[in-house]
Amino acid sequence: GYMTVAFALMALGTAYVSTLRDIPLLRPAVAAIGVIVLGRIIWDPVIMGTDVGRFPIFNWLLIGYGVPAAAFAIAGRLLETRRIDLAQRLADALAVVFTALLAFFQIRHLVNGGDPLAVQSSHVEQGLHVLMALIMSYVLMRLDLARSNPVFRWASIILGGIAVVFAAFGLLLVENPWLRTSERIAGPIVFSSLFLAYFVPGIAAAFLASHARGVRPSWYVTGLYILAGILVFFYVTLEIRHIFQGESIGLLRSTSGAEHWAYSVGWLALGIIYLAYGIWRGAGVARLASAILVLLAVIKVFLFDLAGLTGLWRALSFITLGGVLIGIGLAYQKLVFARPAAPPAPPATGAGEAPTNA
């Protein structure tokens, strides 16, 4: 582990000397050292082993990954003062790699009691991985816009894809507390572990998508909006189940009529929020997500609530659905499909009277 740190510091020292003396061999030497460090990471990403200390953040991970990240970041800026070449781009890439590894293992260390190599995981950990990937993607996007750096550009896009992978497999499948009965929800209603795992990353994805419009490919922006909508939808759905079921929300637990009605209300309310955001920001993806949620609520009410619910809850489902559909129709009529007012006609001049110039 210390050998990897030493190589990174040696690359920094070599880059610094190259700014003082124009020796042609120094820049290839920095690239060669970077290749050695990259090979070490590919061979074994765990630099400092398992005994890294129990204290969060300020542990041996900060030395093993933080020092190389800072060393290669500074080396990249030093090399950039003379020219941009393979050595400079490789230094930037290694700075990104070490920063991402530092964030990944610090999160694992934090949520697993100081063991970054623990075999277990949780929905909170997966949500933090998604959040950190989105934050890094935003920071790298800002750096790319400021410096026009292709390493930062592609790294930001790749980190956005990594966030999608962690969300799809970690949050929605493997560590989903609705599918994994051993998962427990911690914390109070609304501000529970689901808030940190699903809602906060969802808002972060929407924030990144709104800032990536016009500077990133349209498919990338659309994917981030879809990720945001799915994560917030799962937060609302799982939090409703948390309200009625407590800390264990496995799919095999019985569901009451009130809980079924609450799902319809939650989905319709979320659809209204998506519609309002889509109209406000002119985001067609948000309006489409609103239509999908409303359609999902309509299918649920007519196919399940009509047959599965009785009495008050059936009536409330239809009343709520009808009120929301009327409101959405009025919103589209007044705000989306409204025709702009015709401009006022110019005042008519009298017969034989020539118009005067102002």
Side-chain angles (χ1 to χ4, degrees):
Y2 286 113
M3 185 66 72
T4 305
V5 176
F7 271 116
L9 292 174
M10 188 171 74
L12 173 59
T14 307
Y16 174 69
V17 174
S18 72
T19 63
L20 303 177
R21 298 287 186 271
D22 191 12
I23 302 175
L25 187 61
L26 292 180
R27 297 178 75 92
V30 174
I33 296 170
V35 170
I36 292 173
V37 174
L38 181 61
R40 165 69 172 85
I41 293 298
I42 295 174
W43 174 57
D44 185 9
V46 182
I47 294 176
M48 304 304 289
T50 58
D51 189 13
V52 296
R54 296 291 177 179
F55 199 80
I57 307 300
F58 298 100
N59 47 55
W60 290 110
L61 294 171
L62 198 60
I63 303 296
Y65 298 99
V67 171
F72 281 111
I74 299 173
R77 294 306 301 269
L78 291 174
L79 294 172
E80 192 177 9
T81 58
R82 286 188 176 270
R83 63 181 179 274
I84 297 175
D85 55 6
L86 176 62
Q88 193 276 328
R89 294 307 191 198
L90 183 59
D92 284 343
L94 286 171
V96 173
V97 169
F98 273 101
T99 303
L101 289 174
L102 174 64
F104 174 78
F105 283 112
Q106 286 284 17
I107 290 172
R108 298 231 68 212
H109 180 276
L110 178 66
V111 299
N112 290 296
D115 183 7
L117 302 181
V119 295
Q120 73 273 7
S121 183
S122 66
H123 61 283
V124 174
E125 179 184 338
Q126 298 299 316
L128 289 175
H129 287 316
V130 174
L131 177 61
M132 188 54 61
L134 293 171
I135 292 175
M136 286 191 61
S137 179
Y138 173 77
V139 172
L140 289 170
M141 182 181 70
R142 303 304 302 179
L143 290 174
D144 172 44
L145 294 177
R147 298 165 54 185
S148 187
N149 190 322
V151 172
F152 294 157
R153 184 179 311 124
W154 284 105
S156 67
I157 294 176
I158 291 172
L159 282 167
I162 290 174
V164 172
V165 171
F166 271 107
F169 292 97
L171 285 175
L172 305 186
L173 293 177
V174 179
E175 301 299 336
N176 189 334
W178 183 66
L179 298 175
R180 186 178 179 183
T181 57
S182 61
E183 278 284 299
R184 294 291 184 267
I185 309 301
I189 300 300
V190 179
F191 297 104
S192 63
S193 57
L194 296 172
F195 183 85
L196 184 60
Y198 291 89
F199 184 79
V200 176
I203 296 301
F207 176 82
L208 176 58
S210 65
H211 286 77
R213 293 176 65 180
V215 297
R216 287 292 180 267
S218 58
W219 59 265
Y220 179 78
V221 177
T222 301
L224 287 174
Y225 273 125
I226 293 174
L227 174 63
I230 291 175
L231 289 179
V232 175
F233 168 76
F234 267 82
Y235 165 72
V236 171
T237 304
L238 296 178
E239 192 59 57
I240 290 173
R241 191 156 182 82
H242 176 218
I243 292 173
F244 286 92
Q245 301 289 343
E247 65 176 12
S248 179
I249 62 171
L251 60 88
L252 298 179
R253 300 175 68 89
S254 61
T255 305
S256 64
E259 183 178 344
H260 279 298
W261 174 75
Y263 289 133
S264 301
V265 173
W267 295 349
L268 290 171
L270 189 59
I272 294 173
I273 294 173
Y274 285 169
L275 176 60
Y277 179 82
I279 295 174
W280 173 49
R281 300 290 294 180
V285 176
R287 294 203 300 268
L288 178 61
S290 170
I292 292 174
L293 279 173
V294 173
L295 179 61
L296 183 62
V298 170
I299 293 174
K300 176 182 176 298
V301 168
F302 279 95
L303 294 186
F304 179 82
D305 294 358
L306 183 63
L309 300 182
T310 58
L312 175 63
W313 299 117
R314 178 191 292 180
L316 285 176
S317 292
F318 279 94
I319 292 172
T320 303
L321 177 62
V324 170
L325 291 178
I326 292 173
I328 290 177
L330 292 175
Y332 269 91
Q333 181 181 357
K334 298 294 184 181
L335 300 175
V336 179
F337 299 137
R339 295 181 178 178
T349 59
E353 179 182 352
T356 59
N357 293 327

